[in-house]
């Protein structure tokens, strides 16, 4: 991560979805974000401690993805996520300049608040 980058970690934590459905949501969002010019990098989150013999998900954490954008595009990504997941239960962690902010569930309200922040 560079000095002018912001790292977003998105967790799909809908209790009504099983692991496979969460993984499908991750794959769809990764595909969408890879097509976006605003996103520098996007991918799955590796499991630092995968269960022994875990081959089904290849060492990735289920329902999580990471996206990195430059500071100029952070608000665009937040707006996109708000439009795309407004009422869905997700967890969003944002990391920049050594600081981290995590918002849960009522993502629509939290994303509107995040958009109001002055991101350098």
């Amino acid at each position: 991560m560079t000095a002018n980058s912001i790292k977003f970690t998105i967790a799909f934590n809908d209790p009504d979805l099983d692991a496979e459905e969460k993984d499908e949501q991750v794959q769809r969002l990764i595909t969408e974000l890879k097509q976006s010019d605003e996103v520098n990098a996007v991918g799955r989150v590796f499991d630092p401690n995968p269960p022994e013999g875990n081959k089904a998900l290849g060492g990735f954490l289920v329902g999580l993805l990471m996206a990195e954008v430059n500071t100029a595009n952070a608000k665009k990504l937040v707006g996109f996520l708000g439009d795309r997941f407004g009422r869905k239960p997700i967890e969003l962690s944002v990391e920049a300049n050594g600081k981290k902010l995590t918002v849960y569930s009522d993502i629509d309200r939290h994303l509107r608040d995040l958009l109001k922040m002055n991101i350098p």
Side-chain angles (χ1 to χ4, degrees):
M1 191 163 101
T2 63
N4 66 345
S5 292
I6 298 177
K7 178 179 163 185
F8 290 83
T9 303
I10 303 157
F12 293 95
N13 55 11
D14 187 338
D16 295 331
L17 300 178
D18 62 25
E20 187 174 317
E21 291 168 319
K22 290 176 185 179
D23 193 53
E24 288 171 6
Q25 285 193 329
V26 166
Q27 290 297 341
R28 279 195 299 271
L29 185 55
I30 286 174
T31 299
E32 289 179 47
L33 293 177
K34 281 184 176 181
Q35 296 172 359
S36 171
D37 293 333
E38 287 84 15
V39 178
N40 298 342
V42 63
R44 306 287 307 266
V45 177
F46 285 101
D47 186 348
N49 301 306
E52 201 169 310
N54 180 24
K55 295 180 183 176
L57 296 174
F60 295 110
L61 293 172
V62 174
L64 277 106
L65 68 98
M66 182 282 308
E68 187 175 315
V69 298
N70 65 35
T71 54
N73 291 323
K75 287 186 179 184
K76 291 178 186 176
L77 179 59
V78 169
F80 169 79
L81 293 173
D83 291 344
R84 180 85 164 67
F85 301 107
R87 298 279 180 225
K88 295 182 181 177
I90 67 170
E91 176 182 324
L92 176 67
S93 296
V94 182
E95 187 177 341
N97 300 324
K99 297 178 183 176
K100 189 171 183 177
L101 170 70
T102 302
V103 293
Y104 303 90
S105 264
D106 186 4
I107 204 74
D108 189 39
R109 180 179 61 82
H110 290 295
L111 285 175
R112 283 194 310 271
D113 292 345
L114 189 60
L115 278 172
K116 293 176 188 175
M117 290 177 55
N118 184 19
I119 299 173

